[in-house]
Amino acid sequence: MQRHITEFLGPIFAKEIIEIARRWRYYLCRTAYGVILLFIMYVAWDASQSTGAVMGSGNFLARVAAIVFSATSHVQYWAVYVLVPAFLCGVVAGEREEHTLELLFITPLTDREIVLGKLFSRVAAMVCLILCGVPVLSLIMLFGGVGPESIWRVLAATLLAIFFAGSHAIYFSVIARGPMEALTRTYVAFFIWLAGLAILAWGFRQLLQATSASISDELAEILAPIYMCLAPVFLVYPLVSFWGAVDETYHATLAFTYGGWSWPLSFVVPALASLFLSWRAIRRLRQTPRPRVPWTQRIPWTTKLRQKSARPEAAAARRAKAATTWF
């Protein structure tokens, strides 16, 4: 199986895996992750003791297990969106900036082998980091309050987040001119996905509540099927899969409202978006990155302002004014 994986991903994958195993920052990440897990367990235990529950009782241990499970799941999930761009945004943009990417183009390596080899080598490193917390989550089941299906759901949602974040990072690393530009654009894309869609969902909910309170019952019955058809659109939100995994109540609400396949369906759109971005990264690998154009230059009336400010008399006036200012 290892041979087939290496043949599909190419020699870049094998080379990057060997180099990653020798870099100290990945050992530092694993150590820091383990220390954070221990700190979370201590904080959860201390918070449960302050509630006044009886030590050693089943309810107390189940409460501690639920708190540790929720906190650990949130830490490892959000660590994906923080660490994966840091691992991946410089793999292609850094080589383009150092003018070493052209050396790969003259080899027999294909674009697929270059992009997927660099992508999945970092994804494998992140998966190994996340798997370090699986034994801790598995031991939590001994205290009760957490079922094995919850652990597997959280693991599946986290793996999807790794692929989702990795595909965005490798895409922006291909189209950017430098690692910092790729890192910035990746975090902006995450903000749009995670915060922008949440704001749209909140606005849709507020609109639904406002219209349902002001319209008549007959019109509400007509609009109810439309609202039910629009509601599953928000399953494209990447956090739905995680919330359904870590929160049993939310998972039961999804199953009751949209059916038993609602939670698995929340994986479809993020997975397809990840595959599309990976494919686009392969297609655009040999293209020269376009110069970044500020969004203000795309506004029509700003073009006239720039042309007016570029006149010689306007430039001379600005220089004369600048010469008289105190700073």
mmCIF file of all heavy atoms in Angstrom, residues 114-149:
data_model
loop_
_atom_site.group_PDB
_atom_site.id
_atom_site.type_symbol
_atom_site.label_atom_id
_atom_site.label_comp_id
_atom_site.label_asym_id
_atom_site.label_seq_id
_atom_site.Cartn_x
_atom_site.Cartn_y
_atom_site.Cartn_z
ATOM 1 N N ILE A 114 4.195 17.307 -7.952
ATOM 2 C CA ILE A 114 4.777 18.402 -7.171
ATOM 3 C C ILE A 114 3.770 18.930 -6.155
ATOM 4 O O ILE A 114 4.074 19.062 -4.955
ATOM 5 C CB ILE A 114 5.258 19.526 -8.101
ATOM 6 C CG1 ILE A 114 6.400 19.026 -8.993
ATOM 7 C CG2 ILE A 114 5.709 20.740 -7.301
ATOM 8 C CD1 ILE A 114 6.841 20.027 -10.042
ATOM 9 N N VAL A 115 2.560 19.237 -6.609
ATOM 10 C CA VAL A 115 1.566 19.844 -5.726
ATOM 11 C C VAL A 115 1.067 18.848 -4.681
ATOM 12 O O VAL A 115 1.065 19.137 -3.476
ATOM 13 C CB VAL A 115 0.391 20.400 -6.555
ATOM 14 C CG1 VAL A 115 -0.726 20.885 -5.638
ATOM 15 C CG2 VAL A 115 0.862 21.540 -7.442
ATOM 16 N N LEU A 116 0.650 17.669 -5.123
ATOM 17 C CA LEU A 116 0.118 16.693 -4.172
ATOM 18 C C LEU A 116 1.197 16.163 -3.230
ATOM 19 O O LEU A 116 0.915 15.847 -2.072
ATOM 20 C CB LEU A 116 -0.541 15.538 -4.927
ATOM 21 C CG LEU A 116 -1.774 15.888 -5.749
ATOM 22 C CD1 LEU A 116 -2.408 14.634 -6.331
ATOM 23 C CD2 LEU A 116 -2.796 16.655 -4.919
ATOM 24 N N GLY A 117 2.432 16.050 -3.726
ATOM 25 C CA GLY A 117 3.501 15.603 -2.844
ATOM 26 C C GLY A 117 3.750 16.573 -1.708
ATOM 27 O O GLY A 117 3.877 16.178 -0.544
ATOM 28 N N LYS A 118 3.792 17.867 -2.025
ATOM 29 C CA LYS A 118 4.000 18.869 -0.979
ATOM 30 C C LYS A 118 2.769 19.008 -0.087
ATOM 31 O O LYS A 118 2.897 19.223 1.131
ATOM 32 C CB LYS A 118 4.348 20.216 -1.620
ATOM 33 C CG LYS A 118 5.728 20.227 -2.277
ATOM 34 C CD LYS A 118 6.054 21.582 -2.831
ATOM 35 C CE LYS A 118 7.488 21.634 -3.355
ATOM 36 N NZ LYS A 118 8.483 21.485 -2.270
ATOM 37 N N LEU A 119 1.581 18.884 -0.672
ATOM 38 C CA LEU A 119 0.357 19.016 0.118
ATOM 39 C C LEU A 119 0.220 17.881 1.124
ATOM 40 O O LEU A 119 0.065 18.115 2.331
ATOM 41 C CB LEU A 119 -0.854 19.060 -0.819
ATOM 42 C CG LEU A 119 -2.233 18.954 -0.163
ATOM 43 C CD1 LEU A 119 -2.480 20.112 0.783
ATOM 44 C CD2 LEU A 119 -3.331 18.891 -1.220
ATOM 45 N N PHE A 120 0.293 16.642 0.655
ATOM 46 C CA PHE A 120 0.010 15.523 1.540
ATOM 47 C C PHE A 120 1.168 15.213 2.483
ATOM 48 O O PHE A 120 0.967 14.534 3.493
ATOM 49 C CB PHE A 120 -0.347 14.293 0.712
ATOM 50 C CG PHE A 120 -1.735 14.336 0.159
ATOM 51 C CD1 PHE A 120 -1.961 14.706 -1.155
ATOM 52 C CD2 PHE A 120 -2.818 14.041 0.966
ATOM 53 C CE1 PHE A 120 -3.243 14.770 -1.666
ATOM 54 C CE2 PHE A 120 -4.106 14.099 0.468
ATOM 55 C CZ PHE A 120 -4.322 14.470 -0.854
ATOM 56 N N SER A 121 2.359 15.691 2.197
ATOM 57 C CA SER A 121 3.431 15.528 3.176
ATOM 58 C C SER A 121 3.144 16.365 4.418
ATOM 59 O O SER A 121 3.311 15.904 5.550
ATOM 60 C CB SER A 121 4.769 15.932 2.551
ATOM 61 O OG SER A 121 4.759 17.290 2.152
ATOM 62 N N ARG A 122 2.675 17.599 4.229
ATOM 63 C CA ARG A 122 2.301 18.430 5.381
ATOM 64 C C ARG A 122 1.016 17.949 6.019
ATOM 65 O O ARG A 122 0.854 18.026 7.241
ATOM 66 C CB ARG A 122 2.146 19.876 4.940
ATOM 67 C CG ARG A 122 3.394 20.728 5.084
ATOM 68 C CD ARG A 122 4.510 20.244 4.235
ATOM 69 N NE ARG A 122 5.704 21.080 4.332
ATOM 70 C CZ ARG A 122 6.760 20.914 3.558
ATOM 71 N NH1 ARG A 122 6.787 19.957 2.628
ATOM 72 N NH2 ARG A 122 7.830 21.678 3.709
ATOM 73 N N VAL A 123 0.074 17.466 5.206
ATOM 74 C CA VAL A 123 -1.156 16.910 5.768
ATOM 75 C C VAL A 123 -0.840 15.700 6.636
ATOM 76 O O VAL A 123 -1.426 15.517 7.715
ATOM 77 C CB VAL A 123 -2.129 16.546 4.626
ATOM 78 C CG1 VAL A 123 -3.256 15.663 5.139
ATOM 79 C CG2 VAL A 123 -2.705 17.816 4.008
ATOM 80 N N ALA A 124 0.095 14.845 6.190
ATOM 81 C CA ALA A 124 0.481 13.683 6.989
ATOM 82 C C ALA A 124 1.100 14.113 8.317
ATOM 83 O O ALA A 124 0.842 13.499 9.359
ATOM 84 C CB ALA A 124 1.457 12.817 6.195
ATOM 85 N N ALA A 125 1.910 15.178 8.297
ATOM 86 C CA ALA A 125 2.491 15.672 9.543
ATOM 87 C C ALA A 125 1.414 16.193 10.489
ATOM 88 O O ALA A 125 1.462 15.953 11.717
ATOM 89 C CB ALA A 125 3.510 16.774 9.242
ATOM 90 N N MET A 126 0.407 16.882 9.942
ATOM 91 C CA MET A 126 -0.675 17.395 10.790
ATOM 92 C C MET A 126 -1.555 16.265 11.302
ATOM 93 O O MET A 126 -2.027 16.307 12.444
ATOM 94 C CB MET A 126 -1.509 18.392 9.977
ATOM 95 C CG MET A 126 -2.445 19.228 10.832
ATOM 96 S SD MET A 126 -1.546 20.291 11.961
ATOM 97 C CE MET A 126 -2.846 20.719 13.121
ATOM 98 N N VAL A 127 -1.784 15.252 10.493
ATOM 99 C CA VAL A 127 -2.580 14.102 10.938
ATOM 100 C C VAL A 127 -1.872 13.382 12.079
ATOM 101 O O VAL A 127 -2.506 12.972 13.064
ATOM 102 C CB VAL A 127 -2.849 13.152 9.754
ATOM 103 C CG1 VAL A 127 -3.430 11.832 10.249
ATOM 104 C CG2 VAL A 127 -3.808 13.795 8.770
ATOM 105 N N CYS A 128 -0.560 13.220 11.973
ATOM 106 C CA CYS A 128 0.196 12.590 13.070
ATOM 107 C C CYS A 128 0.088 13.413 14.344
ATOM 108 O O CYS A 128 0.006 12.856 15.447
ATOM 109 C CB CYS A 128 1.654 12.425 12.667
ATOM 110 S SG CYS A 128 1.939 11.213 11.368
ATOM 111 N N LEU A 129 0.070 14.747 14.200
ATOM 112 C CA LEU A 129 -0.083 15.601 15.375
ATOM 113 C C LEU A 129 -1.451 15.432 16.010
ATOM 114 O O LEU A 129 -1.578 15.351 17.240
ATOM 115 C CB LEU A 129 0.152 17.054 14.978
ATOM 116 C CG LEU A 129 0.011 18.099 16.088
ATOM 117 C CD1 LEU A 129 1.081 17.893 17.151
ATOM 118 C CD2 LEU A 129 0.099 19.507 15.516
ATOM 119 N N ILE A 130 -2.499 15.362 15.193
ATOM 120 C CA ILE A 130 -3.850 15.206 15.724
ATOM 121 C C ILE A 130 -4.040 13.820 16.332
ATOM 122 O O ILE A 130 -4.711 13.657 17.368
ATOM 123 C CB ILE A 130 -4.887 15.466 14.617
ATOM 124 C CG1 ILE A 130 -4.793 16.915 14.140
ATOM 125 C CG2 ILE A 130 -6.289 15.158 15.099
ATOM 126 C CD1 ILE A 130 -5.011 17.946 15.225
ATOM 127 N N LEU A 131 -3.427 12.802 15.729
ATOM 128 C CA LEU A 131 -3.570 11.442 16.260
ATOM 129 C C LEU A 131 -2.914 11.287 17.626
ATOM 130 O O LEU A 131 -3.211 10.319 18.336
ATOM 131 C CB LEU A 131 -2.973 10.432 15.277
ATOM 132 C CG LEU A 131 -3.743 10.243 13.961
ATOM 133 C CD1 LEU A 131 -3.031 9.220 13.076
ATOM 134 C CD2 LEU A 131 -5.179 9.799 14.218
ATOM 135 N N CYS A 132 -2.039 12.217 17.988
ATOM 136 C CA CYS A 132 -1.453 12.160 19.333
ATOM 137 C C CYS A 132 -2.511 12.344 20.421
ATOM 138 O O CYS A 132 -2.312 11.892 21.555
ATOM 139 C CB CYS A 132 -0.369 13.229 19.486
ATOM 140 S SG CYS A 132 1.088 12.970 18.442
ATOM 141 N N GLY A 133 -3.597 13.013 20.094
ATOM 142 C CA GLY A 133 -4.639 13.225 21.083
ATOM 143 C C GLY A 133 -5.706 12.157 21.113
ATOM 144 O O GLY A 133 -6.573 12.174 22.006
ATOM 145 N N VAL A 134 -5.680 11.218 20.168
ATOM 146 C CA VAL A 134 -6.695 10.163 20.141
ATOM 147 C C VAL A 134 -6.616 9.260 21.372
ATOM 148 O O VAL A 134 -7.650 8.904 21.956
ATOM 149 C CB VAL A 134 -6.587 9.348 18.838
ATOM 150 C CG1 VAL A 134 -7.528 8.147 18.859
ATOM 151 C CG2 VAL A 134 -6.910 10.236 17.648
ATOM 152 N N PRO A 135 -5.429 8.845 21.847
ATOM 153 C CA PRO A 135 -5.402 8.036 23.081
ATOM 154 C C PRO A 135 -6.005 8.755 24.277
ATOM 155 O O PRO A 135 -6.672 8.130 25.115
ATOM 156 C CB PRO A 135 -3.905 7.750 23.283
ATOM 157 C CG PRO A 135 -3.322 7.838 21.923
ATOM 158 C CD PRO A 135 -4.086 8.914 21.235
ATOM 159 N N VAL A 136 -5.790 10.070 24.365
ATOM 160 C CA VAL A 136 -6.376 10.825 25.473
ATOM 161 C C VAL A 136 -7.896 10.813 25.375
ATOM 162 O O VAL A 136 -8.606 10.589 26.370
ATOM 163 C CB VAL A 136 -5.836 12.264 25.477
ATOM 164 C CG1 VAL A 136 -6.476 13.085 26.584
ATOM 165 C CG2 VAL A 136 -4.323 12.259 25.629
ATOM 166 N N LEU A 137 -8.424 11.034 24.176
ATOM 167 C CA LEU A 137 -9.874 11.003 23.990
ATOM 168 C C LEU A 137 -10.435 9.605 24.208
ATOM 169 O O LEU A 137 -11.568 9.454 24.698
ATOM 170 C CB LEU A 137 -10.225 11.504 22.583
ATOM 171 C CG LEU A 137 -9.895 12.963 22.272
ATOM 172 C CD1 LEU A 137 -10.249 13.288 20.833
ATOM 173 C CD2 LEU A 137 -10.633 13.900 23.212
ATOM 174 N N SER A 138 -9.683 8.579 23.865
ATOM 175 C CA SER A 138 -10.162 7.211 24.054
ATOM 176 C C SER A 138 -10.232 6.856 25.535
ATOM 177 O O SER A 138 -11.159 6.148 25.974
ATOM 178 C CB SER A 138 -9.252 6.227 23.316
ATOM 179 O OG SER A 138 -9.226 6.518 21.933
ATOM 180 N N LEU A 139 -9.270 7.322 26.322
ATOM 181 C CA LEU A 139 -9.296 7.044 27.760
ATOM 182 C C LEU A 139 -10.455 7.754 28.455
ATOM 183 O O LEU A 139 -10.881 7.335 29.536
ATOM 184 C CB LEU A 139 -7.972 7.461 28.398
ATOM 185 C CG LEU A 139 -6.741 6.615 28.025
ATOM 186 C CD1 LEU A 139 -5.488 7.216 28.633
ATOM 187 C CD2 LEU A 139 -6.917 5.173 28.481
ATOM 188 N N ILE A 140 -10.948 8.842 27.847
ATOM 189 C CA ILE A 140 -12.069 9.575 28.451
ATOM 190 C C ILE A 140 -13.311 8.692 28.522
ATOM 191 O O ILE A 140 -14.147 8.847 29.419
ATOM 192 C CB ILE A 140 -12.324 10.861 27.648
ATOM 193 C CG1 ILE A 140 -11.164 11.839 27.858
ATOM 194 C CG2 ILE A 140 -13.625 11.533 28.054
ATOM 195 C CD1 ILE A 140 -11.266 13.100 27.039
ATOM 196 N N MET A 141 -13.448 7.751 27.575
ATOM 197 C CA MET A 141 -14.630 6.893 27.575
ATOM 198 C C MET A 141 -14.736 6.050 28.841
ATOM 199 O O MET A 141 -15.822 5.598 29.203
ATOM 200 C CB MET A 141 -14.606 5.969 26.349
ATOM 201 C CG MET A 141 -14.781 6.679 25.027
ATOM 202 S SD MET A 141 -15.005 5.522 23.661
ATOM 203 C CE MET A 141 -13.457 4.617 23.734
ATOM 204 N N LEU A 142 -13.624 5.816 29.537
ATOM 205 C CA LEU A 142 -13.666 5.026 30.768
ATOM 206 C C LEU A 142 -14.426 5.741 31.876
ATOM 207 O O LEU A 142 -14.922 5.098 32.806
ATOM 208 C CB LEU A 142 -12.245 4.700 31.233
ATOM 209 C CG LEU A 142 -11.377 3.895 30.254
ATOM 210 C CD1 LEU A 142 -9.975 3.722 30.815
ATOM 211 C CD2 LEU A 142 -12.010 2.542 29.963
ATOM 212 N N PHE A 143 -14.514 7.075 31.817
ATOM 213 C CA PHE A 143 -15.216 7.845 32.839
ATOM 214 C C PHE A 143 -16.707 7.992 32.542
ATOM 215 O O PHE A 143 -17.454 8.490 33.383
ATOM 216 C CB PHE A 143 -14.596 9.235 32.981
ATOM 217 C CG PHE A 143 -13.148 9.210 33.338
ATOM 218 C CD1 PHE A 143 -12.217 9.798 32.512
ATOM 219 C CD2 PHE A 143 -12.703 8.590 34.489
ATOM 220 C CE1 PHE A 143 -10.869 9.777 32.825
ATOM 221 C CE2 PHE A 143 -11.363 8.559 34.820
ATOM 222 C CZ PHE A 143 -10.440 9.152 33.989
ATOM 223 N N GLY A 144 -17.134 7.602 31.338
ATOM 224 C CA GLY A 144 -18.538 7.756 30.970
ATOM 225 C C GLY A 144 -18.828 9.152 30.454
ATOM 226 O O GLY A 144 -18.004 10.067 30.526
ATOM 227 N N GLY A 145 -20.018 9.334 29.937
ATOM 228 C CA GLY A 145 -20.418 10.642 29.425
ATOM 229 C C GLY A 145 -20.052 10.894 27.982
ATOM 230 O O GLY A 145 -20.558 11.829 27.371
ATOM 231 N N VAL A 146 -19.148 10.099 27.419
ATOM 232 C CA VAL A 146 -18.706 10.262 26.033
ATOM 233 C C VAL A 146 -18.708 8.894 25.372
ATOM 234 O O VAL A 146 -18.122 7.941 25.905
ATOM 235 C CB VAL A 146 -17.296 10.888 25.950
ATOM 236 C CG1 VAL A 146 -16.853 11.009 24.505
ATOM 237 C CG2 VAL A 146 -17.272 12.248 26.624
ATOM 238 N N GLY A 147 -19.372 8.781 24.225
ATOM 239 C CA GLY A 147 -19.446 7.522 23.509
ATOM 240 C C GLY A 147 -18.389 7.419 22.438
ATOM 241 O O GLY A 147 -17.821 8.431 22.001
ATOM 242 N N PRO A 148 -18.089 6.213 21.989
ATOM 243 C CA PRO A 148 -17.078 6.061 20.928
ATOM 244 C C PRO A 148 -17.486 6.705 19.616
ATOM 245 O O PRO A 148 -16.638 7.152 18.843
ATOM 246 C CB PRO A 148 -16.932 4.540 20.796
ATOM 247 C CG PRO A 148 -18.206 3.975 21.358
ATOM 248 C CD PRO A 148 -18.627 4.920 22.435
ATOM 249 N N GLU A 149 -18.810 6.769 19.336
ATOM 250 C CA GLU A 149 -19.232 7.396 18.088
ATOM 251 C C GLU A 149 -18.908 8.895 18.074
ATOM 252 O O GLU A 149 -18.621 9.465 17.017
ATOM 253 C CB GLU A 149 -20.725 7.179 17.856
ATOM 254 C CG GLU A 149 -21.658 7.779 18.895
ATOM 255 C CD GLU A 149 -21.809 6.917 20.138
ATOM 256 O OE1 GLU A 149 -21.218 5.822 20.156
ATOM 257 O OE2 GLU A 149 -22.523 7.344 21.073
#
